[in-house]
Amino acid sequence: MSSDSTAVLRANQSLYDAFETGDADLMAALWLDGPDAATVSCVHPGWSPLHGRETVLRSWTMIMANTSFIQFVLTDVEVTVAGEVAVVTCGENMLTDLPVDPDALPGEAVAGLAGGRAVATNVFRRTADGWRLWLHHASPVLTRDQPDGMGEGNA
Amino acid sequence: MSSDSTAVLRANQSLYDAFETGDADLMAALWLDGPDAATVSCVHPGWSPLHGRETVLRSWTMIMANTSFIQFVLTDVEVTVAGEVAVVTCGENMLTDLPVDPDALPGEAVAGLAGGRAVATNVFRRTADGWRLWLHHASPVLTRDQPDGMGEGNA
């Protein structure tokens, strides 16, 4: 694997590390800044597109503030680098905590865990400071029954 | 608007024209070919990512073969060009026909129409032959209740 690919994959992993740890500073450092900051875009699962670094970072801050626990296991990570731009696609396998049942009796209020799965396309731009996120598009996987030969790993 | 942006938007519109008319040749012409053909990726709404020009085109052919009628109205179309790569985000407002009710009486079997909405991120690469699709990621919009200041048009 090229050093470019390795660096892109490290940046990609940092996105999920930032989310898991609720690290807004790391999140801000990952996204493209400077003259093209207004051109970043982000689609959270089920959302419409957000545009511009400030709006995108605000959305992450709010989502992280409303997430008490989340862990990601990335699967089917594919990276391709073309000049100044790199594309990563991956499966986002999430483990989150469930809200505590408001009707629970004292001592019963143990929150459970829930799993979920989305897929993401993450596009990075090469900058003097390293690879920076230009766009993120994540979406729920609604079926595991894609037609033959069209599942993951059949590329 | 720059001539690059205009050309990218024309290519973007062609994707939906190809789908509407079931034109597999036009669809094939729109997607990146040549040495980087294996690096194209495509996420249909609710699907996992598909990789590689052949797999992606096969998916479109199958989807178009199973669609008797579809019309798109694109909204909130945003384009940004950075060197050899361009990103378009847009809302895909779809009108499709409903399957005829199998329980309908003769004369009642008039198929209706259904509306739907997705959002797409389309990334194009500049080639000697014009802008070509490198990735398409479309996803359902599951809520219209994004937090304040985070809807479309608030960029």
Side-chain angles (χ1 to χ4, degrees), chain A residues 46-100:
Chain A
W47 289 38
S48 290
L50 304 177
H51 294 282
R53 176 181 161 85
E54 277 186 40
T55 300
V56 169
L57 288 180
R58 194 148 41 93
S59 75
W60 282 108
T61 300
M62 198 191 54
I63 288 169
M64 293 191 295
N66 285 288
T67 303
S68 59
F69 173 81
I70 193 163
Q71 271 198 331
F72 288 93
V73 175
L74 302 184
T75 49
D76 308 295
V77 182
E78 301 270 349
V79 58
T80 180
V81 179
E84 308 304 302
V85 177
V87 176
V88 176
T89 62
C90 57
E92 302 176 338
N93 303 276
M94 288 162 274
L95 194 65
T96 56
D97 58 350
L98 290 169
V100 173

Short mmCIF file of all heavy atoms in Angstrom, two decimals, chain A residues 46-100:
data_model
loop_
_atom_site.label_atom_id
_atom_site.label_comp_id
_atom_site.label_asym_id
_atom_site.label_seq_id
_atom_site.Cartn_x
_atom_site.Cartn_y
_atom_site.Cartn_z
N GLY A 46 -29.66 9.77 6.82
CA GLY A 46 -31.04 10.23 6.82
C GLY A 46 -31.21 11.73 6.73
O GLY A 46 -32.34 12.22 6.66
N TRP A 47 -30.10 12.46 6.73
CA TRP A 47 -30.16 13.92 6.67
C TRP A 47 -30.04 14.41 5.23
O TRP A 47 -29.61 13.69 4.34
CB TRP A 47 -29.02 14.55 7.46
CG TRP A 47 -29.09 14.45 8.94
CD1 TRP A 47 -29.54 13.39 9.68
CD2 TRP A 47 -28.65 15.43 9.89
NE1 TRP A 47 -29.40 13.67 11.02
CE2 TRP A 47 -28.86 14.92 11.18
CE3 TRP A 47 -28.08 16.71 9.77
CZ2 TRP A 47 -28.54 15.63 12.35
CZ3 TRP A 47 -27.75 17.42 10.92
CH2 TRP A 47 -27.99 16.88 12.19
N SER A 48 -30.36 15.69 5.06
CA SER A 48 -30.03 16.39 3.83
C SER A 48 -28.59 16.89 3.92
O SER A 48 -28.03 16.95 5.02
CB SER A 48 -30.99 17.58 3.63
OG SER A 48 -32.28 17.11 3.32
N PRO A 49 -27.99 17.26 2.80
CA PRO A 49 -26.60 17.71 2.83
C PRO A 49 -26.41 19.01 3.62
O PRO A 49 -27.24 19.90 3.59
CB PRO A 49 -26.27 17.96 1.35
CG PRO A 49 -27.24 17.13 0.59
CD PRO A 49 -28.51 17.15 1.40
N LEU A 50 -25.31 19.06 4.33
CA LEU A 50 -24.86 20.28 4.99
C LEU A 50 -23.68 20.82 4.20
O LEU A 50 -22.87 20.04 3.68
CB LEU A 50 -24.42 20.00 6.43
CG LEU A 50 -25.45 19.33 7.33
CD1 LEU A 50 -24.86 19.04 8.70
CD2 LEU A 50 -26.70 20.20 7.46
N HIS A 51 -23.57 22.12 4.12
CA HIS A 51 -22.50 22.75 3.34
C HIS A 51 -21.72 23.74 4.18
O HIS A 51 -22.31 24.51 4.94
CB HIS A 51 -23.09 23.47 2.12
CG HIS A 51 -23.71 22.55 1.13
ND1 HIS A 51 -22.96 21.81 0.24
CD2 HIS A 51 -25.00 22.22 0.90
CE1 HIS A 51 -23.77 21.08 -0.50
NE2 HIS A 51 -25.02 21.30 -0.12
N GLY A 52 -20.41 23.74 4.01
CA GLY A 52 -19.55 24.72 4.67
C GLY A 52 -18.99 24.18 5.96
O GLY A 52 -19.68 23.53 6.75
N ARG A 53 -17.73 24.46 6.18
CA ARG A 53 -17.01 23.94 7.34
C ARG A 53 -17.72 24.25 8.66
O ARG A 53 -17.87 23.37 9.51
CB ARG A 53 -15.60 24.54 7.33
CG ARG A 53 -14.74 24.18 8.51
CD ARG A 53 -13.36 24.86 8.43
NE ARG A 53 -12.74 24.86 9.74
CZ ARG A 53 -12.02 23.84 10.23
NH1 ARG A 53 -11.83 22.78 9.50
NH2 ARG A 53 -11.51 23.90 11.44
N GLU A 54 -18.17 25.49 8.83
CA GLU A 54 -18.78 25.87 10.11
C GLU A 54 -20.05 25.09 10.40
O GLU A 54 -20.26 24.58 11.50
CB GLU A 54 -19.09 27.37 10.13
CG GLU A 54 -17.88 28.21 10.49
CD GLU A 54 -18.24 29.68 10.64
OE1 GLU A 54 -19.32 29.96 11.20
OE2 GLU A 54 -17.46 30.53 10.19
N THR A 55 -20.90 25.00 9.39
CA THR A 55 -22.16 24.27 9.57
C THR A 55 -21.90 22.79 9.84
O THR A 55 -22.53 22.17 10.70
CB THR A 55 -23.04 24.43 8.31
OG1 THR A 55 -23.31 25.81 8.12
CG2 THR A 55 -24.36 23.67 8.44
N VAL A 56 -20.94 22.23 9.09
CA VAL A 56 -20.63 20.81 9.25
C VAL A 56 -20.06 20.54 10.65
O VAL A 56 -20.49 19.60 11.34
CB VAL A 56 -19.64 20.35 8.15
CG1 VAL A 56 -19.09 18.97 8.46
CG2 VAL A 56 -20.34 20.36 6.79
N LEU A 57 -19.14 21.38 11.10
CA LEU A 57 -18.55 21.15 12.42
C LEU A 57 -19.59 21.34 13.52
O LEU A 57 -19.59 20.61 14.53
CB LEU A 57 -17.36 22.09 12.65
CG LEU A 57 -16.10 21.76 11.83
CD1 LEU A 57 -14.99 22.75 12.14
CD2 LEU A 57 -15.64 20.33 12.11
N ARG A 58 -20.51 22.30 13.31
CA ARG A 58 -21.57 22.50 14.30
C ARG A 58 -22.43 21.24 14.42
O ARG A 58 -22.84 20.84 15.51
CB ARG A 58 -22.42 23.71 13.90
CG ARG A 58 -23.32 24.23 14.96
CD ARG A 58 -23.52 25.75 14.85
NE ARG A 58 -23.67 26.20 13.46
CZ ARG A 58 -24.83 26.36 12.85
NH1 ARG A 58 -25.95 26.11 13.49
NH2 ARG A 58 -24.89 26.79 11.60
N SER A 59 -22.70 20.61 13.28
CA SER A 59 -23.52 19.39 13.32
C SER A 59 -22.83 18.28 14.09
O SER A 59 -23.46 17.56 14.88
CB SER A 59 -23.85 18.93 11.89
OG SER A 59 -22.73 18.33 11.26
N TRP A 60 -21.52 18.15 13.89
CA TRP A 60 -20.78 17.11 14.60
C TRP A 60 -20.76 17.38 16.10
O TRP A 60 -20.92 16.47 16.93
CB TRP A 60 -19.34 17.00 14.08
CG TRP A 60 -19.23 16.26 12.78
CD1 TRP A 60 -18.96 16.80 11.55
CD2 TRP A 60 -19.39 14.85 12.56
NE1 TRP A 60 -18.94 15.82 10.59
CE2 TRP A 60 -19.21 14.62 11.18
CE3 TRP A 60 -19.68 13.77 13.39
CZ2 TRP A 60 -19.30 13.35 10.62
CZ3 TRP A 60 -19.77 12.50 12.83
CH2 TRP A 60 -19.58 12.30 11.46
N THR A 61 -20.55 18.64 16.46
CA THR A 61 -20.53 18.99 17.88
C THR A 61 -21.85 18.64 18.53
O THR A 61 -21.91 18.07 19.63
CB THR A 61 -20.24 20.50 18.04
OG1 THR A 61 -18.96 20.78 17.45
CG2 THR A 61 -20.22 20.91 19.51
N MET A 62 -22.94 18.94 17.83
CA MET A 62 -24.26 18.66 18.38
C MET A 62 -24.52 17.15 18.47
O MET A 62 -25.04 16.66 19.47
CB MET A 62 -25.30 19.32 17.50
CG MET A 62 -26.63 19.47 18.17
SD MET A 62 -27.79 19.94 16.92
CE MET A 62 -27.52 18.63 15.73
N ILE A 63 -24.14 16.44 17.43
CA ILE A 63 -24.34 14.98 17.44
C ILE A 63 -23.52 14.34 18.56
O ILE A 63 -24.00 13.49 19.30
CB ILE A 63 -23.97 14.38 16.06
CG1 ILE A 63 -25.02 14.75 15.02
CG2 ILE A 63 -23.80 12.87 16.15
CD1 ILE A 63 -24.63 14.44 13.58
N MET A 64 -22.28 14.80 18.70
CA MET A 64 -21.42 14.21 19.74
C MET A 64 -21.94 14.56 21.13
O MET A 64 -21.87 13.73 22.05
CB MET A 64 -19.97 14.66 19.54
CG MET A 64 -19.36 14.09 18.25
SD MET A 64 -17.56 14.31 18.07
CE MET A 64 -17.42 16.10 17.96
N ALA A 65 -22.49 15.76 21.29
CA ALA A 65 -23.04 16.16 22.59
C ALA A 65 -24.25 15.31 22.96
O ALA A 65 -24.56 15.14 24.14
CB ALA A 65 -23.42 17.64 22.57
N ASN A 66 -24.92 14.77 21.95
CA ASN A 66 -26.11 13.96 22.20
C ASN A 66 -25.83 12.47 22.14
O ASN A 66 -26.75 11.66 22.07
CB ASN A 66 -27.20 14.33 21.19
CG ASN A 66 -27.84 15.67 21.53
OD1 ASN A 66 -28.60 15.78 22.49
ND2 ASN A 66 -27.51 16.69 20.75
N THR A 67 -24.55 12.11 22.13
CA THR A 67 -24.17 10.70 22.09
C THR A 67 -23.34 10.40 23.33
O THR A 67 -22.24 10.93 23.49
CB THR A 67 -23.32 10.40 20.82
OG1 THR A 67 -24.06 10.80 19.66
CG2 THR A 67 -22.98 8.93 20.74
N SER A 68 -23.89 9.57 24.22
CA SER A 68 -23.12 9.29 25.44
C SER A 68 -22.10 8.19 25.21
O SER A 68 -21.05 8.16 25.86
CB SER A 68 -24.05 8.93 26.59
OG SER A 68 -24.82 7.80 26.26
N PHE A 69 -22.40 7.28 24.28
CA PHE A 69 -21.45 6.19 24.00
C PHE A 69 -21.64 5.72 22.57
O PHE A 69 -22.77 5.44 22.14
CB PHE A 69 -21.66 5.01 24.96
CG PHE A 69 -20.83 3.80 24.62
CD1 PHE A 69 -19.50 3.73 25.01
CD2 PHE A 69 -21.37 2.75 23.89
CE1 PHE A 69 -18.72 2.62 24.69
CE2 PHE A 69 -20.59 1.64 23.56
CZ PHE A 69 -19.27 1.58 23.97
N ILE A 70 -20.54 5.65 21.84
CA ILE A 70 -20.61 5.04 20.50
C ILE A 70 -19.25 4.44 20.18
O ILE A 70 -18.20 4.99 20.54
CB ILE A 70 -21.04 6.06 19.42
CG1 ILE A 70 -21.40 5.34 18.11
CG2 ILE A 70 -19.95 7.14 19.18
CD1 ILE A 70 -22.22 6.18 17.15
N GLN A 71 -19.29 3.27 19.59
CA GLN A 71 -18.06 2.63 19.13
C GLN A 71 -18.25 2.18 17.70
O GLN A 71 -19.32 1.68 17.34
CB GLN A 71 -17.71 1.43 20.01
CG GLN A 71 -16.84 1.79 21.21
CD GLN A 71 -16.16 0.57 21.78
OE1 GLN A 71 -16.67 -0.54 21.70
NE2 GLN A 71 -14.99 0.77 22.37
N PHE A 72 -17.21 2.35 16.90
CA PHE A 72 -17.26 1.95 15.50
C PHE A 72 -16.31 0.79 15.22
O PHE A 72 -15.17 0.79 15.70
CB PHE A 72 -16.84 3.11 14.59
CG PHE A 72 -17.84 4.21 14.50
CD1 PHE A 72 -17.79 5.30 15.34
CD2 PHE A 72 -18.87 4.16 13.56
CE1 PHE A 72 -18.72 6.33 15.27
CE2 PHE A 72 -19.80 5.17 13.47
CZ PHE A 72 -19.73 6.26 14.33
N VAL A 73 -16.78 -0.14 14.44
CA VAL A 73 -15.89 -1.10 13.80
C VAL A 73 -16.07 -0.89 12.30
O VAL A 73 -17.19 -1.04 11.78
CB VAL A 73 -16.22 -2.55 14.19
CG1 VAL A 73 -15.34 -3.51 13.40
CG2 VAL A 73 -16.04 -2.74 15.69
N LEU A 74 -15.00 -0.49 11.63
CA LEU A 74 -15.07 -0.25 10.19
C LEU A 74 -14.79 -1.55 9.44
O LEU A 74 -13.88 -2.29 9.79
CB LEU A 74 -14.05 0.81 9.78
CG LEU A 74 -14.19 2.17 10.47
CD1 LEU A 74 -13.17 3.16 9.90
CD2 LEU A 74 -15.60 2.72 10.36
N THR A 75 -15.59 -1.80 8.43
CA THR A 75 -15.39 -2.99 7.59
C THR A 75 -15.36 -2.59 6.12
O THR A 75 -15.85 -1.51 5.76
CB THR A 75 -16.51 -4.02 7.81
OG1 THR A 75 -17.77 -3.37 7.73
CG2 THR A 75 -16.39 -4.69 9.17
N ASP A 76 -14.81 -3.46 5.30
CA ASP A 76 -14.79 -3.25 3.85
C ASP A 76 -14.23 -1.88 3.49
O ASP A 76 -14.79 -1.16 2.66
CB ASP A 76 -16.21 -3.39 3.27
CG ASP A 76 -16.85 -4.70 3.68
OD1 ASP A 76 -16.34 -5.74 3.27
OD2 ASP A 76 -17.85 -4.67 4.42
N VAL A 77 -13.13 -1.53 4.14
CA VAL A 77 -12.52 -0.21 3.89
C VAL A 77 -11.75 -0.26 2.57
O VAL A 77 -10.85 -1.07 2.39
CB VAL A 77 -11.57 0.17 5.05
CG1 VAL A 77 -10.98 1.56 4.81
CG2 VAL A 77 -12.29 0.11 6.38
N GLU A 78 -12.16 0.60 1.65
CA GLU A 78 -11.51 0.68 0.34
C GLU A 78 -11.00 2.10 0.14
O GLU A 78 -11.74 3.06 0.38
CB GLU A 78 -12.52 0.36 -0.78
CG GLU A 78 -13.17 -1.00 -0.68
CD GLU A 78 -12.39 -2.08 -1.42
OE1 GLU A 78 -11.47 -1.71 -2.18
OE2 GLU A 78 -12.71 -3.26 -1.24
N VAL A 79 -9.77 2.23 -0.30
CA VAL A 79 -9.19 3.56 -0.50
C VAL A 79 -8.65 3.67 -1.91
O VAL A 79 -8.10 2.70 -2.46
CB VAL A 79 -8.08 3.85 0.53
CG1 VAL A 79 -6.97 2.82 0.45
CG2 VAL A 79 -7.51 5.26 0.35
N THR A 80 -8.85 4.83 -2.52
CA THR A 80 -8.25 5.09 -3.82
C THR A 80 -7.76 6.54 -3.83
O THR A 80 -8.46 7.44 -3.37
CB THR A 80 -9.24 4.80 -4.98
OG1 THR A 80 -8.62 5.07 -6.22
CG2 THR A 80 -10.48 5.64 -4.87
N VAL A 81 -6.54 6.72 -4.31
CA VAL A 81 -5.94 8.05 -4.35
C VAL A 81 -5.76 8.43 -5.82
O VAL A 81 -5.25 7.64 -6.61
CB VAL A 81 -4.57 8.07 -3.64
CG1 VAL A 81 -3.94 9.45 -3.73
CG2 VAL A 81 -4.72 7.63 -2.19
N ALA A 82 -6.21 9.63 -6.17
CA ALA A 82 -6.02 10.14 -7.53
C ALA A 82 -5.53 11.58 -7.42
O ALA A 82 -6.32 12.50 -7.23
CB ALA A 82 -7.33 10.07 -8.32
N GLY A 83 -4.21 11.74 -7.51
CA GLY A 83 -3.64 13.08 -7.43
C GLY A 83 -3.89 13.71 -6.08
O GLY A 83 -3.43 13.19 -5.05
N GLU A 84 -4.66 14.80 -6.08
CA GLU A 84 -4.84 15.60 -4.86
C GLU A 84 -6.07 15.19 -4.08
O GLU A 84 -6.43 15.84 -3.10
CB GLU A 84 -4.95 17.08 -5.24
CG GLU A 84 -3.81 17.59 -6.13
CD GLU A 84 -2.46 17.36 -5.47
OE1 GLU A 84 -2.26 17.86 -4.35
OE2 GLU A 84 -1.61 16.64 -6.08
N VAL A 85 -6.75 14.14 -4.55
CA VAL A 85 -8.01 13.73 -3.94
C VAL A 85 -7.99 12.23 -3.66
O VAL A 85 -7.41 11.46 -4.43
CB VAL A 85 -9.20 14.09 -4.87
CG1 VAL A 85 -10.53 13.62 -4.28
CG2 VAL A 85 -9.25 15.60 -5.12
N ALA A 86 -8.59 11.83 -2.56
CA ALA A 86 -8.67 10.41 -2.22
C ALA A 86 -10.09 10.08 -1.77
O ALA A 86 -10.75 10.89 -1.13
CB ALA A 86 -7.68 10.07 -1.11
N VAL A 87 -10.53 8.89 -2.13
CA VAL A 87 -11.86 8.43 -1.77
C VAL A 87 -11.74 7.19 -0.89
O VAL A 87 -10.98 6.26 -1.22
CB VAL A 87 -12.70 8.07 -3.01
CG1 VAL A 87 -14.05 7.49 -2.61
CG2 VAL A 87 -12.88 9.28 -3.92
N VAL A 88 -12.46 7.19 0.21
CA VAL A 88 -12.57 6.00 1.05
C VAL A 88 -14.05 5.62 1.14
O VAL A 88 -14.90 6.48 1.36
CB VAL A 88 -12.04 6.26 2.48
CG1 VAL A 88 -12.25 5.03 3.37
CG2 VAL A 88 -10.56 6.63 2.45
N THR A 89 -14.33 4.34 0.94
CA THR A 89 -15.66 3.84 1.28
C THR A 89 -15.49 2.80 2.38
O THR A 89 -14.49 2.08 2.41
CB THR A 89 -16.39 3.19 0.08
OG1 THR A 89 -15.64 2.06 -0.37
CG2 THR A 89 -16.55 4.16 -1.08
N CYS A 90 -16.45 2.77 3.29
CA CYS A 90 -16.36 1.80 4.37
C CYS A 90 -17.73 1.53 4.98
O CYS A 90 -18.66 2.33 4.83
CB CYS A 90 -15.39 2.27 5.46
SG CYS A 90 -15.75 3.85 6.21
N GLY A 91 -17.82 0.39 5.63
CA GLY A 91 -19.01 0.10 6.43
C GLY A 91 -18.77 0.60 7.84
O GLY A 91 -17.69 0.40 8.40
N GLU A 92 -19.77 1.28 8.39
CA GLU A 92 -19.68 1.80 9.76
C GLU A 92 -20.56 0.92 10.64
O GLU A 92 -21.79 1.03 10.60
CB GLU A 92 -20.21 3.24 9.83
CG GLU A 92 -19.52 4.25 8.94
CD GLU A 92 -20.17 5.64 9.01
OE1 GLU A 92 -21.35 5.72 9.40
OE2 GLU A 92 -19.52 6.63 8.67
N ASN A 93 -19.93 0.04 11.40
CA ASN A 93 -20.69 -0.84 12.30
C ASN A 93 -20.65 -0.23 13.69
O ASN A 93 -19.59 -0.13 14.30
CB ASN A 93 -20.09 -2.24 12.28
CG ASN A 93 -20.07 -2.79 10.87
OD1 ASN A 93 -21.05 -3.33 10.39
ND2 ASN A 93 -18.95 -2.61 10.17
N MET A 94 -21.80 0.20 14.16
CA MET A 94 -21.87 1.01 15.38
C MET A 94 -22.45 0.24 16.55
O MET A 94 -23.38 -0.55 16.38
CB MET A 94 -22.80 2.21 15.14
CG MET A 94 -22.22 3.26 14.22
SD MET A 94 -23.53 4.33 13.57
CE MET A 94 -24.07 3.39 12.13
N LEU A 95 -21.88 0.50 17.71
CA LEU A 95 -22.45 0.02 18.96
C LEU A 95 -22.74 1.26 19.80
O LEU A 95 -21.82 2.05 20.08
CB LEU A 95 -21.44 -0.89 19.67
CG LEU A 95 -21.94 -1.76 20.82
CD1 LEU A 95 -22.94 -2.79 20.32
CD2 LEU A 95 -20.76 -2.46 21.48
N THR A 96 -24.00 1.47 20.16
CA THR A 96 -24.36 2.64 20.96
C THR A 96 -25.14 2.19 22.17
O THR A 96 -25.69 1.08 22.19
CB THR A 96 -25.23 3.63 20.16
OG1 THR A 96 -26.39 2.95 19.67
CG2 THR A 96 -24.48 4.22 18.99
N ASP A 97 -25.20 3.05 23.18
CA ASP A 97 -26.01 2.69 24.35
C ASP A 97 -27.45 3.12 24.12
O ASP A 97 -27.74 4.07 23.40
CB ASP A 97 -25.45 3.29 25.64
CG ASP A 97 -25.37 4.80 25.57
OD1 ASP A 97 -25.55 5.36 24.48
OD2 ASP A 97 -25.10 5.41 26.61
N LEU A 98 -28.34 2.37 24.71
CA LEU A 98 -29.77 2.69 24.63
C LEU A 98 -30.10 3.65 25.76
O LEU A 98 -29.52 3.58 26.85
CB LEU A 98 -30.59 1.41 24.80
CG LEU A 98 -30.51 0.43 23.64
CD1 LEU A 98 -31.13 -0.90 24.05
CD2 LEU A 98 -31.21 1.00 22.42
N PRO A 99 -31.05 4.55 25.53
CA PRO A 99 -31.49 5.40 26.63
C PRO A 99 -32.03 4.54 27.77
O PRO A 99 -32.64 3.49 27.54
CB PRO A 99 -32.63 6.22 26.01
CG PRO A 99 -32.46 6.08 24.54
CD PRO A 99 -31.79 4.76 24.30
N VAL A 100 -31.79 4.98 28.98
CA VAL A 100 -32.30 4.27 30.13
C VAL A 100 -33.84 4.34 30.12
O VAL A 100 -34.41 5.38 29.83
CB VAL A 100 -31.76 4.90 31.43
CG1 VAL A 100 -32.43 4.27 32.65
CG2 VAL A 100 -30.25 4.73 31.49
#
